[in-house]
């Protein structure tokens, strides 16, 4: 990755000016919102630094002296041991400084994001200087590697952060995933055969692999899930980068590191990436049998995963075909489309076969639950900024899409005829179909909080962009020109956006009062074991306490876990709800474990409609038949027991 010193510095300064200007505006807005704290010295210093950066940057960009003398003076030469040690120091010291900027510098829960991004941008420059001292790379290569390094470290931290021994769920459904993951081994875990989850069968199959080694702890299950997130994304990036056969090491790191971070912007869930890995590793237009086998296997897996992913493996395979197979090689319309049509038909058939197989082996008697996603309400406002998603699905999608699309435009400028119209139509149609489909699914109640329903579109866009960046697209006649991307696109658009996404997710390490948690667990165990002698105990929440043996000697009730109950409420599955109401009315359960319940209906707050569905359809019926007899405030857990005189309509 080569560039003149002047090109790099002009690009770097331009970006620093843009970030400084945006940070000045955001900081001014925030200080006004925080009761006019502009008089505080810390904020005055911050604004002054931004203004100096803005003024100095504009001066350097607009100065009349256009020669390269200044930029050449900024080159770092020498290979002494002192420089190498200093280089390592600069690379490492940035992380504690970033941590301070994020959490401690401004005494705010959420400091202005652009202050943090500005600080990270300049610290990445120091890291680039460190890499340049240590490895003697160019400024551009050093800066790109520093940016990717930071993004990968922070993204990895985000997924490793929940790996804790805290005994209770970290979110409304965090630990529920491990209960569902245990169900394939329910005979050994619970002593009885239990039906599998109705949703995301392949996800819970992957989580269940941790139970192959016998009894495990909640900490180990959380570590296994973090490993799945990072390993599947890393393997996807590695296989595609290897397929593209980059000759230079920096180019491999650029494409691989970018794709690793790009996929996390959804994020694309690890069980879905199994489909992607199989397609990237197995499909080749020149190997028909191997390609068909890969499509069948990946599509079968998709059929056990999620309904909107049924066509995705075949579509990815067809995209590879359009990218690697020139139309001029066949030069006949139907002959060229034979493989894509065959792959599409076979892929969909395999996906339906996978779904039918999973339904058959799941052990579920109520098959209506498998189609609950088709009866859920659509909330179109979630396309735009709201309490559920402050950025909004469409603005976030534009932010994610524009950098790779801008890169594609830069590469293909004056070379659009390198691909036949049929190939362009195929690639663009699939992108549009997956984008529109993802946008519609994002409006389904329960979704819209992030871009995970845009996952198939993100994967396809990443695949196409990676091929063109690597100059591995087979043209119709002469090869495409060597990779030429303007520096602002490489540094500014392509890298900073996914890295900023990873930074935005960083929170403080999870800390808790071990003694209080231990006391809560003991109180809960003693209370529930006493109730279990008289009948069934239902864990709506915290069912993983049975999975990992933290509350032993209580039989598991397979129905009405919080994830299932929520899905039935928001999809309006009345037969399921009627059965739940009947069990409550008959006081089937001697005790029920749940969180503090509310019957308040509101139109504000994140996931307001979901909360209203729960409060109106679940909490109301629970509270009219049962009452709390044990409350653990620090863990937000209550134990409910039947009322002597229920007050129900």
């Amino acid at each position: 990755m080569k560039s003149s010193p002047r090109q790099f510095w002009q690009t770097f300064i331009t970006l620093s000016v843009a970030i400084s200007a945006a940070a000045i505006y955001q900081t001014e807005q925030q200080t006004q919102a925080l009761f006019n704290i502009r008089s505080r010295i810390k904020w005055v210093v911050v604004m002054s630094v931004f203004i100096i950066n803005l003024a100095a940057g504009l001066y350097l960009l607009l100065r009349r002296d256009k020669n390269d003398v200044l930029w050449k003076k900024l080159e770092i030469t020498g290979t002494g041991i002192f420089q190498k040690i200093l280089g390592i120091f600069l690379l490492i010291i940035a992380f504690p400084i970033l941590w301070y900027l994020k959490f401690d510098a401004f005494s705010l829960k959420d400091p202005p994001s652009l202050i943090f991004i500005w600080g990270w941008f300049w610290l990445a420059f120091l890291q680039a200087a460190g890499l340049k001292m240590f490895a003697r790379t160019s400024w551009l290569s050093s800066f790109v590697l520093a940016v990717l390094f930071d993004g990968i470290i922070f993204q990895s931290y985000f997924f490793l952060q929940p790996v804790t021994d805290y005994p209770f769920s970290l979110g409304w459904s965090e630990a529920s995933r491990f209960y569902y993951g245990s169900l394939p081994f329910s005979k050994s875990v619970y002593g009885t055969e239990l039906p599998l989850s109705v949703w995301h069968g392949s996800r819970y199959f992957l989580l269940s692999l941790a139970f192959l080694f016998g009894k495990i702890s909640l900490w180990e299950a959380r570590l296994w899930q973090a490993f799945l997130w990072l390993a599947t994304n890393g393997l996807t990036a590695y296989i595609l980068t290897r397929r593209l056969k980059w000759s230079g090491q920096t180019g491999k790191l650029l494409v691989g590191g970018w794709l690793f971070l790009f996929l996390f912007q959804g994020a694309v869930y690890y069980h879905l990436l199994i489909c992607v890995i199989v397609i990237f590793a197995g499909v080749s237009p020149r190997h028909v049998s191997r390609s068909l086998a890969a499509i069948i296997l990946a599509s079968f897996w998709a059929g056990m995963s999620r309904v909107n992913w049924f066509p995705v493996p075949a579509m990815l395979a067809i995209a590879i075909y359009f990218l690697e197979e020139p139309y001029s090689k066949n030069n006949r319309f139907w002959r060229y489309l034979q493989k894509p049509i065959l792959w599409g038909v076979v892929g969909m058939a395999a996906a339906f076969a996978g779904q039918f197989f999973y339904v058959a082996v799941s052990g579920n008697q109520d098959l209506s639950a498998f189609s609950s996603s088709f009866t859920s309400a659509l909330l179109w406002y979630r396309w735009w900024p709201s309490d559920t998603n402050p950025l909004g699905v469409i603005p976030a999608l534009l932010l994610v899409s524009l950098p790779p699309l801008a890169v594609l435009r830069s590469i293909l400028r004056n070379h659009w005829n390198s691909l036949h119209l049929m190939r362009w139509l195929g690639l663009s149609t699939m992108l549009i179909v997956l984008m529109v489909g993802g946008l519609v699914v994002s409006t389904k109640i329960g979704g819209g909080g992030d871009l995970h329903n845009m996952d198939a579109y993100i994967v396809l866009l990443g695949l196409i962009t990676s091929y063109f960046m690597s100059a591995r697209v087979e043209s119709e006649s002469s090869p495409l020109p060597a990779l030429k991307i303007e520096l602002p696109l490489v540094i500014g658009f392509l890298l900073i956006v996914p890295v900023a996404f990873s930074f935005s997710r960083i929170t403080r390490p999870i800390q808790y009062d071990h003694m209080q948690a231990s006391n809560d667990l003991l109180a809960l165990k003693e209370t529930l074991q006493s109730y279990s002698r008289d009948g069934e105990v239902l864990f709506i929440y915290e069912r993983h306490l049975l999975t990992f043996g933290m509350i032993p000697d209580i039989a598991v009730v397979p129905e009405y876990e919080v994830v299932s109950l929520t899905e039935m409420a928001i999809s309006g599955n009345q037969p399921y709800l009627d059965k739940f109401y009947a069990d409550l009315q008959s006081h089937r359960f001697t005790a029920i474990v749940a969180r503090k319940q509310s019957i308040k209906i509101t139109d504000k707050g994140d996931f307001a409609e979901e909360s209203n569905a729960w409060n109106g359809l679940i909490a109301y019926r629970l509270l009219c038949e049962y009452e709390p007899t044990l409350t653990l405030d620090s863990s937000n857990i209550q134990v409910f027991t039947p009322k002597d005189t229920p007050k129900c309509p």
Side-chain angles (χ1 to χ4, degrees):
M1 187 176 295
K2 297 180 180 180
S3 67
S4 69
R6 179 177 176 178
Q7 282 180 306
F8 171 78
W9 287 109
Q10 286 185 333
T11 299
F12 179 83
I13 293 171
T14 299
L15 288 170
S16 73
V17 166
I19 295 173
S20 296
I24 289 172
Y25 174 79
Q26 187 188 48
T27 304
E28 172 66 15
Q29 295 297 309
Q30 180 119 3
T31 55
Q32 289 185 32
L34 294 174
F35 307 104
N36 196 18
I37 60 175
R38 282 171 285 183
S39 59
R40 296 185 183 179
I41 185 64
K42 187 179 293 184
W43 293 95
V44 172
V45 170
V46 168
M47 292 289 281
S48 300
V49 170
F50 292 155
I51 292 171
I52 291 171
N53 186 163
L54 181 65
L58 289 174
Y59 167 76
L60 291 172
L61 290 173
L62 300 175
R63 68 193 184 94
R64 294 183 178 181
D65 182 12
K66 299 297 184 180
N67 59 52
D68 291 341
V69 175
L70 174 62
W71 315 123
K72 289 180 179 179
K73 288 181 179 179
L74 295 173
E75 284 296 305
I76 298 175
T77 58
T79 57
I81 186 65
F82 174 77
Q83 278 196 332
K84 290 184 180 293
I85 294 174
L86 179 59
I88 295 175
F89 173 78
L90 291 176
L91 188 63
I92 296 174
I93 195 62
F95 291 107
I97 298 175
L98 278 171
W99 189 267
Y100 174 75
L101 285 175
K102 177 75 172 177
F103 297 115
D104 301 316
F106 302 99
S107 302
L108 295 174
K109 181 180 179 181
D110 294 305
S113 58
L114 285 169
I115 292 181
F116 180 70
I117 291 175
W118 183 92
W120 160 71
F121 186 77
W122 279 99
L123 287 170
F125 164 72
L126 289 180
Q127 290 178 304
L131 283 171
K132 190 170 176 59
M133 292 176 183
F134 183 80
R136 298 183 65 186
T137 54
S138 69
W139 272 114
L140 174 59
S141 296
S142 298
F143 190 79
V144 166
L145 293 176
V147 169
L148 290 175
F149 180 66
D150 291 344
I152 291 170
I153 290 294
F154 275 83
Q155 192 67 67
S156 300
Y157 167 81
F158 170 73
F159 284 106
L160 290 169
Q161 183 204 25
V163 180
T164 172
D165 60 356
Y166 181 64
F168 303 110
S169 184
L170 298 174
W172 80 274
S173 67
E174 183 261 345
S176 298
R177 310 302 177 182
F178 307 122
Y179 162 72
Y180 288 113
S182 72
L183 293 179
F185 297 96
S186 60
K187 185 67 175 178
S188 60
V189 176
Y190 306 104
T192 185
E193 293 285 349
L194 298 176
L196 303 180
S197 169
V198 173
W199 305 278
H200 312 300
S202 62
R203 178 183 185 181
Y204 298 127
F205 171 76
L206 291 178
L207 287 175
S208 76
L209 297 179
F211 293 89
L212 282 172
F213 306 101
K215 292 184 178 180
I216 62 171
S217 66
L218 177 57
W219 181 90
E220 291 169 321
R222 285 169 170 157
L223 179 62
W224 173 243
Q225 178 166 247
F227 171 79
L228 288 174
W229 274 111
L230 297 172
T232 52
N233 272 267
L235 186 58
T236 301
Y238 170 77
I239 289 176
L240 182 58
T241 304
R242 185 176 180 181
R243 182 187 185 103
L244 297 175
K245 299 177 181 178
W246 269 86
S247 56
Q249 194 65 29
T250 303
K252 288 181 181 179
L253 292 172
L254 169 63
V255 175
W258 169 76
L259 187 63
F260 178 83
L261 296 173
F262 185 74
L263 295 177
F264 276 125
Q265 292 176 115
V268 184
Y269 276 74
Y270 46 84
H271 61 297
L272 300 174
L273 283 176
I274 298 298
C275 308
V276 181
I277 290 168
V278 171
I279 294 298
F280 286 0
V283 168
S284 170
R286 295 164 183 79
H287 298 86
V288 179
S289 298
R290 189 183 78 189
S291 298
L292 273 175
I295 292 168
I296 291 171
L297 179 61
S299 299
F300 191 88
W301 182 270
M304 298 188 295
S305 303
R306 208 160 70 197
V307 65
N308 55 318
W309 264 70
F310 280 21
V312 174
M315 294 176 80
L316 293 175
I318 293 168
I320 291 174
Y321 176 82
F322 285 143
L323 292 166
E324 294 187 358
E325 190 78 358
Y327 183 85
S328 56
K329 187 175 180 180
N330 296 280
N331 212 26
R332 291 183 181 178
F333 179 81
W334 289 113
R335 187 174 181 180
Y336 184 75
L337 291 180
Q338 280 179 350
K339 287 181 183 176
I341 292 173
L342 174 64
W343 291 357
V345 172
V346 170
M348 286 299 293
F352 278 106
Q355 184 189 47
F356 292 147
F357 170 79
Y358 182 77
V359 171
V361 302
S362 70
N364 286 280
Q365 300 300 317
D366 181 10
L367 302 185
S368 65
F370 285 95
S371 60
S372 64
S373 58
F374 296 105
T375 59
S376 301
L378 300 181
L379 308 174
W380 300 100
Y381 77 89
R382 291 192 179 173
W383 279 354
W384 310 108
S386 65
D387 290 337
T388 300
N389 186 343
L391 191 56
V393 173
I394 288 181
L397 184 63
L398 289 174
L399 188 62
V400 168
S401 301
L402 286 178
L405 292 176
V407 168
L408 290 174
R409 181 183 180 278
S410 174
I411 296 172
L412 291 166
R413 186 179 299 167
N414 301 323
H415 296 286
W416 293 100
N417 59 354
S418 297
L419 271 68
H420 190 273
L421 178 62
M422 175 62 63
R423 299 169 72 185
W424 283 125
L425 285 174
L427 292 171
S428 59
T429 299
M430 289 191 295
L431 267 177
I432 292 171
V433 167
L434 292 180
M435 180 184 69
V436 172
L439 285 173
V440 172
V441 175
S442 294
T443 68
K444 188 179 81 70
I445 186 171
D450 54 25
L451 292 180
H452 83 271
N453 286 312
M454 303 303 304
D455 44 16
Y457 165 81
I458 288 173
V459 171
L460 182 57
L461 181 59
L463 171 67
I464 294 171
T465 305
S466 298
Y467 260 84
F468 279 102
M469 286 175 61
S470 308
R472 293 300 175 185
V473 179
E474 293 290 337
S475 65
E476 299 300 331
S477 53
S478 59
L480 285 168
L483 180 64
K484 292 182 180 179
I485 306 178
E486 290 83 1
L487 293 179
L489 294 177
V490 175
I491 299 174
F493 290 119
L494 201 62
L495 299 180
I496 290 179
V497 171
V499 173
F501 261 85
S502 68
F503 287 164
S504 68
R505 295 169 173 166
I506 300 303
T507 58
R508 289 183 181 274
I510 295 170
Q511 297 178 338
Y512 69 96
D513 187 329
H514 288 70
M515 182 62 71
Q516 183 64 57
S518 179
N519 291 338
D520 284 355
L521 183 60
L522 179 61
L524 188 63
K525 179 172 68 174
E526 291 177 347
T527 300
L528 295 177
Q529 286 179 339
S530 66
Y531 283 119
S532 68
R533 300 187 189 102
D534 300 321
E536 294 180 293
V537 173
L538 171 65
F539 284 75
I540 294 179
Y541 286 85
E542 311 295 341
R543 195 171 292 186
H544 68 282
L545 296 175
L546 302 177
T547 304
F548 299 105
M550 287 184 272
I551 298 183
D553 304 322
I554 296 180
V556 63
V557 177
E559 303 98 330
Y560 313 134
E561 201 279 332
V562 61
V563 174
S564 300
L565 204 51
T566 300
E567 181 66 27
M568 295 300 101
I570 63 178
S571 64
N573 190 322
Q574 200 58 48
Y576 185 97
L577 294 175
D578 288 341
K579 184 175 182 297
F580 176 62
Y581 300 155
D583 286 338
L584 292 179
Q585 191 172 18
S586 66
H587 291 173
R588 170 186 169 185
F589 310 110
T590 58
I592 295 176
V593 181
R595 291 191 172 180
K596 295 179 181 179
Q597 299 296 300
S598 170
I599 59 174
K600 180 181 179 181
I601 302 299
T602 180
D603 59 354
K604 296 181 179 179
D606 60 330
F607 295 104
E609 289 81 4
E610 292 82 350
S611 296
N612 290 339
W614 178 274
N615 294 347
L617 298 176
I618 306 300
Y620 177 77
R621 291 301 187 111
L622 174 61
L623 291 174
C624 78
E625 294 285 357
Y626 284 69
E627 60 186 352
T629 54
L630 174 67
T631 299
L632 304 173
D633 290 314
S634 59
S635 305
N636 191 25
I637 295 173
Q638 285 188 320
V639 175
F640 295 83
T641 55
K643 288 182 176 180
D644 293 331
T645 55
K647 297 179 180 179
C648 300

